[in-house]
Amino acid sequence: MPRRPSPVRPPGESTSLWHQGLSLGSKALQDTAPLKGFDAYVVGFHPARDDPSIQMEAHHYCRQVNDDFLQCVLFDGNTYEANLIGVEYIVSERFHDTLPEAERRYWHPHNYEVLGGSLVAPGLPEPAERALMAMLMNSYGKTWHTWHTGRLDTGPGDALPLGEPMLMWSFNRDGQCDPALEQHRNQAMDVDRTRKRDARSGLLDRAHPQEGVELLDEAFPDGTPIPGVVDRRTGR
């Protein structure tokens, strides 16, 4: 699988012998049960909800709790040195629609990421990836980034987690994601987005209108809608 290194190496001293000893002791004596099962790996892009010019490649490692709920830890790469940059919770449409109106403003729609081919599951055979994407159809994510480490195509960001967490969103039109950001990921990870779209065209008949699709339209007035991605409130 192609490797995506983190754009940032945090400052600090080299690992001490004491730290190495603690790590070895922990591995021998402690259980890391809560980390088991975070083995569904997908890569996509996140813009900040309130400042969508802030965009990042996000590597999700997810655990399926049940058919309606997934939990994901987010990294800025897929190597041992990758930095933990946030979390994402994913709920089914059924769960999302039970949330209070005030809460639903935090949850972004996923149909564009699936049908548009920007969300990928590296290493999975095409049929297995399609099955995973079918499960994500009509779902919603609540994503907080605690660290903006930058982009591999433009350079590093903050050396440490600074400021308040940022609520992130999803792209929902062609032309909203910075083409350079996506191209860099696609070339490095051998992603053919046109082929992904074609392979997922059979999911179109499952698509329901979703809330939040039009949220970034004002920031990206030249964005182009795609079939199957429709705002529930406006029908566009």
Side-chain angles (χ1 to χ4, degrees):
M1 180 188 302
R3 311 310 287 168
R4 295 294 278 163
S6 166
V8 161
R9 180 65 62 90
E13 299 289 337
S14 298
T15 304
S16 66
L17 290 175
W18 178 85
H19 192 175
Q20 293 175 15
L22 177 63
S23 177
L24 290 172
S26 299
K27 290 177 182 176
L29 300 174
Q30 294 182 307
D31 186 9
T32 57
L35 298 178
K36 291 181 171 66
F38 284 86
D39 48 15
Y41 171 45
V42 296
V43 185
F45 305 101
H46 290 160
R49 183 189 191 277
D50 296 328
D51 184 0
S53 66
I54 299 174
Q55 304 180 9
M56 285 187 70
E57 180 180 321
H59 296 253
H60 308 57
Y61 292 86
C62 303
R63 178 170 71 88
Q64 184 173 1
V65 178
N66 53 50
D67 289 347
D68 293 291
F69 186 49
L70 288 83
Q71 306 181 95
C72 305
V73 287
L74 307 180
F75 292 85
D76 59 0
N78 62 8
T79 67
Y80 178 77
E81 293 81 13
N83 295 301
L84 176 66
I85 60 171
V87 296
E88 179 167 359
Y89 302 101
I90 298 174
V91 295
S92 65
E93 178 183 47
R94 183 170 73 91
F95 269 26
H96 170 268
D97 290 351
T98 67
L99 298 173
E101 180 77 21
E103 171 63 23
R104 295 207 295 267
R105 66 179 294 274
Y106 296 102
W107 296 80
H108 62 262
H110 283 150
N111 281 358
Y112 175 83
E113 294 179 274
V114 173
L115 296 173
S118 64
L119 186 68
V120 299
L124 280 188
E126 195 71 50
E129 186 184 63
R130 276 200 306 274
L132 175 59
M133 296 301 152
M135 184 187 70
L136 293 174
M137 282 294 298
N138 303 312
S139 66
Y140 291 82
K142 185 178 187 179
T143 302
W144 294 98
H145 279 201
T146 54
W147 191 355
H148 183 58
T149 58
R151 292 168 35 170
L152 289 171
D153 63 320
T154 59
D158 298 329
L160 290 170
L162 302 177
E164 297 182 354
M166 287 188 292
L167 180 66
M168 308 304 283
W169 208 249
S170 54
F171 295 114
N172 291 288
R173 314 288 194 198
D174 282 349
Q176 291 183 340
C177 183
D178 184 341
L181 174 65
E182 185 168 10
Q183 183 179 18
H184 196 278
R185 190 281 310 261
N186 290 351
Q187 289 180 344
M189 304 196 78
D190 193 26
V191 175
D192 184 337
R193 189 172 178 188
T194 300
R195 187 172 62 82
K196 295 287 185 190
R197 286 195 183 197
D198 291 344
R200 299 174 190 179
S201 60
L203 300 176
L204 263 173
D205 60 354
R206 304 188 187 197
H208 299 163
Q210 292 196 284
E211 295 181 13
V213 169
E214 288 194 334
L215 186 74
L216 303 184
D217 283 1
E218 186 174 339
F220 302 106
D222 296 328
T224 304
I226 68 169
V229 181
V230 176
D231 193 283
R232 181 190 290 183
R233 299 180 188 273
T234 66
R236 296 195 298 271

